[in-house]
Amino acid sequence: MIPVCQPAKETITGPCASWFSTRTQLALAACACGGAATFLYLVDPNRHAVYPTCLLYQTTGIYCAGCGATRAVHALLHGRIIEALHDNALFVLALPFLLRMAWMYLPAAWRANAWPDLPTDHRKWVRRGVGIVLLMLGFMALRNLPGWPFDWLKPLVT
């Protein structure tokens, strides 16, 4: 009797499981983020037109919740925290939470060479998503109001 060879079971899951391991995905993402940060550090968004303009602002003159985030990252990379807060306070204040989330999942993914399972409590995800959308809409509304305290929320344009 001839033994039948069975294919090895895949231990990596996800859309790119057959192409890249989780560690390779993380390394590529780190290289992409490092390259983008280096480019953003060297090329000032206030002086160069290589960065895209916000489509909402370009067509309506209304600042969206993300307007000024590129300039804020540039200012943060140069250590200018007050300027970064002026460009996009919501993004700068959300950045520590985003970095904490990354710090929670990425080392575990690297050690296991597999992406960890996310909690599947759909109600919690919906509540958080709705809360984030409402926060962004509120910030967007406040930064477009005229007057002294709200003018500080508008991005610096030089």
Side-chain angles (χ1 to χ4, degrees):
M1 181 146 203
I2 301 173
V4 177
C5 296
Q6 294 191 6
K9 291 184 179 180
E10 282 286 327
T11 57
I12 303 169
T13 59
C16 297
S18 61
W19 296 337
F20 300 113
S21 70
T22 302
R23 286 186 182 146
T24 305
Q25 292 173 32
L26 289 171
L28 290 172
C31 290
C33 288
T38 302
F39 182 81
L40 191 54
Y41 180 83
L42 296 173
V43 182
D44 187 357
N46 294 312
R47 295 192 180 125
H48 300 283
V50 296
Y51 300 101
T53 307
C54 175
L55 202 55
L56 180 68
Y57 180 74
Q58 190 176 8
T59 56
T60 64
I62 296 173
Y63 292 110
C64 74
C67 281
T70 306
R71 289 188 294 272
V73 172
H74 177 78
L76 284 175
L77 289 172
H78 286 274
R80 299 188 304 257
I81 297 171
I82 300 299
E83 183 183 330
L85 281 167
H86 197 302
D87 284 329
N88 193 320
L90 181 64
F91 176 76
V92 173
L93 294 175
L95 199 56
F97 297 105
L98 296 171
L99 292 173
R100 180 181 178 273
M101 285 178 44
W103 189 253
M104 285 173 46
Y105 287 104
L106 297 182
W110 182 268
R111 281 191 300 274
N113 199 20
W115 292 105
D117 293 328
L118 295 175
T120 56
D121 184 5
H122 297 293
R123 289 183 181 156
K124 186 185 288 186
W125 283 102
V126 169
R127 279 194 308 267
R128 286 180 183 170
V130 168
I132 290 170
V133 168
L134 290 176
L135 179 68
M136 291 174 71
L137 288 173
F139 178 70
M140 188 172 131
L142 288 176
R143 75 188 320 200
N144 285 293
L145 290 175
W148 166 73
F150 307 112
D151 287 340
W152 202 84
L153 295 174
K154 292 176 174 60
L156 295 172
V157 179
T158 56

